Every structure is written in C-alpha cells, then in structure tokens.
Amino acid sequence: MQSTTPPRTTDHQFGFRQKHATIEQVHRVTNAITEALENHKYCTAEFLDISQAFDKVWHEGLICKLRPLFPASIHRLLRSYLEHRYFLIKYREAYTPLHPVLSGVPQGSVLGPLLYLLYTADLPTTADSTTATFADDTVVLTAHENPVIATHRLQLHLHEIQLWVNKWRMKANETKSAQVTFTLTLRSLTLYIYGAPILDVSRSHTTTQHSR
C-alpha cells in the first residue's frame, strides 16, 4: 500500500516549517563562516535571487513532482486544485478575455507554501558546499584553504543550480545576486551565472574581520 505520509522537506529549507525560524538559519550560515575563519579558510558565498519564485512554479512540472509523493487520490485532488485556473483584467467597465494560469502557487492560500516547498525540494546540493534556504531566499557557501578551489567548487554548484532552474522554468536573477568572500586576507575570484559576472560585494567593502 502506498504511504500517505507527506514527504520530508530537505534539511536546508527553513521556510514555512515548524521550529525553523529565520534567526536559526542565520545562525547556521554564520556558524559555517565562523568555522571557516577559525580554520584559516576562505569562505566564498553566493546570495541568490530567484526571480518571482512563487509566480514561476510551473504547474505541469509541479504535478509531475507530486505524482510519486502521494497516493493517486491525493494527487488527483492536488492536480484539480492547480488546473483550469484562469485570470482576466478589468479596466473601468472593460474586461479582457480569460487566459489560463499555467504557473504560480496561490499566494495567501494554505497549500501555496507547501506546494512551493515540494517544488523546490530537489534543489541541487553538493557535499563540498553548504546550502541554506528560507522560502525563496538562497545562499550557497564553500570553504577551503585555497581560494581558487573554494571558488571553483562554488562555481560547479552554481552550474548545477542553473541547470535546475532552467529545467523547471525558474530564473536566477544575476543582477540582484551577490558574491561575498569571508576571509582574513581579501582575495576572491569572480563567479558567473548565465555567463555574466556576479557582483562581488566583498571587493567594494572593507574586508570582514574576525576576532577570536
């Protein structure tokens, strides 16, 4: 018999979960940075901006992801909840024709946050990096004694994330994303999304200092 127990959310996601507050995710990130500095490592972080994340949830892709997670009856119920939605625009006394809604989870609804978490639960992670998400806010960190290796590992992870957002019809906004290198001696390499360099804010500010 197929289990009716809802799937577990990935460990890096702290949004919309009981006993997982924003401050706890911040502590998790700062602990990773502090540990790297205490071990004289370069900690390179990428703060990603996912454009219109909740509005970009592709219904067909979400339905596909839900199929193996729930019994057929619940899957049909969720599918009926997402399909055959339409919108129109009213301007004064004029109305536009109806248009189908093919993406987005109903914000403000009870199921909206859960559906978003299930849709993004397979965001790529790697053994060489730390991933921290709170709803659609995402940061990825890598640490190593060699800044070239730290940056290379993070760039490989960003490439996997880029492939994921392309596959599932989401978009990472490279102009609103930022790179920060936490180190006792400033030295960092440039990261890229969609072939465009990401702003390295650690180069335009004073180097982060760590007091033991």
Side-chain angles (χ1 to χ4, degrees), residues 2-3 5-7 57-83 105 111-122 168:
Q2 191 171 10
S3 173
T5 303
V57 174
W58 175 35
H59 287 178
E60 186 176 339
L62 175 57
I63 291 170
C64 178
K65 289 188 176 187
L66 294 176
R67 184 174 293 112
L69 302 179
F70 295 100
S73 58
I74 296 180
H75 180 262
R76 287 194 298 268
L77 180 64
L78 293 173
R79 182 169 185 166
S80 68
Y81 177 74
L82 293 168
E83 291 184 333
V105 293
L111 285 179
L114 175 61
L115 293 175
Y116 178 80
L117 295 188
L118 293 176
Y119 189 69
T120 58
D122 60 346
W168 298 108

Side-chain angles (χ1 to χ4, degrees), residues 107-162:
Q107 296 191 44
S109 65
V110 174
L111 285 179
L114 175 61
L115 293 175
Y116 178 80
L117 295 188
L118 293 176
Y119 189 69
T120 58
D122 60 346
L123 181 75
T125 59
T126 71
D128 294 326
S129 61
T130 299
T131 303
T133 54
F134 194 93
D136 57 337
D137 295 322
T138 304
V139 58
V140 183
L141 309 95
T142 57
H144 197 274
E145 295 86 352
N146 187 329
V148 176
I149 295 177
T151 304
H152 177 67
R153 288 177 174 177
L154 185 54
Q155 185 64 71
L156 291 176
H157 192 169
L158 290 178
H159 178 67
E160 293 298 317
I161 292 176
Q162 180 178 320

